[in-house]
Each structure stands twice: as structure tokens, then as C-alpha cells.
Amino acid sequence: KVYGNAEISNITKALGLDIDKVTGKLIYNEKKLRYNKIVIATDEDTDGYAIATLLITVFNWLCPELIENGNIYRVHGALFKATFSDKSYQLFQTLAEYEAWKKKNKKPFTLSRAKGLGELTKEETYEQLVNPSTRNLHQLVSDDMKEFNEYLEIFEGNDVAPRRDYLEEHFNDYDE
């Protein structure tokens, strides 16, 4: 059923890996793998993080060796954009980065909050997602795949209670 899904089928074909007929998993073969870096790019909001977690779960199910061997990456888009009168701009990944820059900047600017990947210009897309010198790319690594899978089960599993408990413990500051 999973491989009948068009998106999963397309991902499988794009990776260039074969399917093990017995286990239903992809057979990790570094020589057949078409891409050394598989980059997940989503909006920098809760929906984007949920989609990224879902994709990580899918990759972990399809072929955990992609995670174990460091092939999965996550690119984070800018959160803020300062635009100057000449239409040039400066992008910021974090509020702290923006605040530090703001103290030093003397030119007038307009600040906007990034709205999502779908609203980027082609130049911004290149700068944030493609250009190795300006993108915010993080490799997904795990020293303990057992623990990694336990967290995936918390966030993507059928049992809501562990997810609720984790969120209440780690994000209770937002209730205030």
C-alpha cells in the first residue's frame, strides 16, 4: 500500500534504490543512491515542522540507513527579512541574529516576517535553499537509533498521551 502512494513511489524512484521484496524496505546501496544529500525544505512554522517530522519518519521507515549514514538534511529558511530602499535585503535565521544586526545597522529598512517558501522570490530561494554559502543546512544525525525511533514514536505514533506529556513538559512556557 505504501509504495502505491504516488509521492512515496516518486521518492523511491528519485533515490534510485531497489525495494527488498521480502521486507518491503529500500535496499541501501551507496553506489545506486542518486543523491548524497537528501534535503527536506518546509516552512518555518508548526505545520512545516510537522511535515518535516513526517518526512523523516517516512525515510526512517523506507530506509533507516539513509539516516544512519547521514544522507538526510533539513534546510531552515529565514524568519525575518530587512528590505532597504534600493530593494536590497538582508535575511535572518533567528530573532537573536536580527537583534544583533539591528544594533549595528544604520540604514533605514522595513522588516517583514518570512511567510513561507512559496512566497520567496527566485533569488531568495537560491540564497536560502540552494547556495551552500548562505543556506542554513543541518544534517540529521543520531548516535542512538533506538532513542531516535523512540522519539519518532512519540511524535508520529498512534498513542497521543506520550506526545501530550512531552509537549506539556517541554513547551509549558507558551501557556503563560
Side-chain angles (χ1 to χ4, degrees):
K1 281 184 172 181
V2 171
Y3 290 106
N5 176 284
E7 287 78 12
I8 299 298
S9 178
N10 289 336
I11 289 171
T12 302
K13 287 176 189 172
L15 294 175
L17 299 176
D18 297 322
I19 300 171
D20 183 317
K21 303 295 185 208
V22 176
T23 65
K25 308 282 186 183
L26 294 179
I27 301 167
Y28 185 84
N29 182 335
E30 193 172 9
K31 291 180 181 174
K32 286 189 173 185
L33 184 63
R34 289 187 182 153
Y35 306 99
N36 186 38
K37 290 183 181 176
I38 300 163
V39 178
I40 297 171
T42 63
D43 289 349
E44 290 297 311
D45 58 16
T46 54
D47 290 338
Y49 279 93
I51 292 166
T53 303
L54 180 61
L55 286 168
I56 291 166
T57 303
V58 167
F59 283 120
N60 190 55
W61 184 84
L62 290 173
C63 188
E65 295 86 355
L66 292 170
I67 295 169
E68 292 168 3
N69 292 306
N71 295 108
I72 306 294
Y73 291 76
R74 172 92 160 85
V75 65
H76 297 273
L79 295 178
F80 301 99
K81 178 180 178 181
T83 306
F84 305 103
S85 58
D86 66 357
K87 303 290 186 226
S88 64
Y89 59 88
Q90 176 78 33
L91 298 171
F92 305 97
Q93 300 292 329
T94 66
L95 180 59
E97 184 181 314
Y98 163 69
E99 293 291 342
W101 172 84
K102 186 171 81 169
K103 290 177 183 177
K104 297 176 186 172
N105 176 58
K106 302 296 180 209
K107 294 175 18 179
F109 65 93
T110 304
L111 184 69
S112 58
R113 178 82 161 91
K115 296 178 184 139
L117 298 178
E119 298 193 21
L120 296 177
T121 65
K122 72 177 184 180
E123 292 83 11
E124 292 168 331
T125 300
Y126 177 77
E127 187 172 340
Q128 293 188 48
L129 304 180
V130 179
N131 187 347
S133 66
T134 56
R135 69 183 175 196
N136 187 9
L137 188 66
H138 297 271
Q139 185 179 30
L140 176 62
V141 293
S142 177
D143 295 334
D144 184 343
M145 287 302 289
K146 182 177 184 273
E147 181 182 40
F148 177 79
N149 281 298
E150 288 169 2
Y151 276 106
L152 282 183
E153 182 61 31
I154 288 172
F155 292 115
E156 295 296 324
N158 292 329
D159 190 358
V160 176
R163 185 168 34 255
R164 184 190 62 236
D165 293 344
Y166 181 91
L167 292 172
E168 285 176 355
E169 179 181 342
H170 292 89
F171 295 104
N172 58 5
D173 296 338
Y174 294 109
D175 293 337
E176 299 172 2

